[in-house]
Amino acid sequence: MNTQSLAASLFQQLQQGPGLQQVSQQLGLDSAQTRQAVGSALPLLLGAMGQNASEPQGAQSLLNALQRDHSGGGGFDLGGILGAVMGGGGSGATDGAGILGHVFGGQQPQAAAALGQKTGLDSGTSGKLLAILAPIVMSFLAQRFAQQGNATELSSALGQETQSGGGLGSLLGGALDQDGDGQFGASDLMKLGAGLLKR
């Protein structure tokens, strides 16, 4: 498997087409702001998913959701996903807010605030960005992992994202630290709810 991180690989794909420009227009940001914000948001999302997938049950739930909702069609159609997300397609696969609710639980506002702190965006804009990117991240992961159906491989790849974290690890940990022990761990995950990505 490619040694490049998942976040870096997806960011590269977003830069190759009109993806970042579409996100810029949607959020009313200039291209430099958008590039920086997306570059910070992807590791945050993937890192949070990595925390959820660090337990076998969480990894299997995530894999099930990828296979059920996000693996349709022939591969990773970035333009199609962006169009559906921004056009309000309304399916579970493009419901960014719904996906974020599963990933961050009740800590979604804190995650948006943490991203805003890192990027200088207000938390409303950060939240919108995360909601745009969440379905893209899920589809990207589905393309990579849904076919093999290997929850262990998915958990391992996302675990590496959690460790690298793009400098957001401490921010994310602080935002999602539910039990006040200074770190985001298994007990916090339990408090975030065991129903990861189950509807």
Side-chain angles (χ1 to χ4, degrees), residues 132-189:
I132 289 170
L133 291 176
I136 294 169
V137 168
M138 291 291 283
S139 181
F140 175 74
L141 291 175
Q143 181 217 6
R144 294 228 170 180
F145 298 104
Q147 299 304 316
Q148 298 96 314
N150 188 331
T152 307
E153 190 177 314
L154 174 64
S155 176
S156 171
L158 285 171
Q160 291 168 15
E161 300 296 315
T162 307
Q163 287 162 18
S164 58
L168 273 161
S170 58
L171 279 177
L172 179 61
L176 300 181
D177 178 16
Q178 296 252 314
D179 54 15
D181 65 356
Q183 54 191 356
F184 179 53
S187 61
D188 298 306
L189 279 175

Side-chain angles (χ1 to χ4, degrees), residues 22-144:
Q22 288 176 270
V23 175
S24 293
Q25 290 167 349
Q26 186 80 1
L27 297 177
L29 303 174
D30 66 39
S31 57
Q33 280 177 306
T34 303
R35 191 174 294 112
Q36 191 224 351
V38 171
S40 296
L42 291 176
L44 175 68
L45 275 168
L46 285 160
M49 288 179 185
Q51 291 283 6
N52 287 326
S54 62
E55 303 288 327
Q57 184 183 349
Q60 190 60 53
S61 293
L62 177 57
L63 183 64
N64 290 346
L66 294 176
Q67 291 172 326
R68 184 182 64 233
D69 294 333
H70 301 274
S71 61
F76 181 56
D77 174 18
L78 180 56
I81 299 160
L82 266 172
V85 170
M86 295 188 191
S91 75
T94 56
D95 177 11
I99 294 167
L100 291 178
H102 293 302
V103 173
F104 292 116
Q107 303 300 296
Q108 203 171 324
Q110 289 90 325
L115 180 60
Q117 191 181 335
K118 168 90 174 169
T119 59
L121 300 178
D122 65 77
S123 57
T125 305
S126 297
K128 280 185 198 166
L129 175 62
L130 288 171
I132 289 170
L133 291 176
I136 294 169
V137 168
M138 291 291 283
S139 181
F140 175 74
L141 291 175
Q143 181 217 6
R144 294 228 170 180

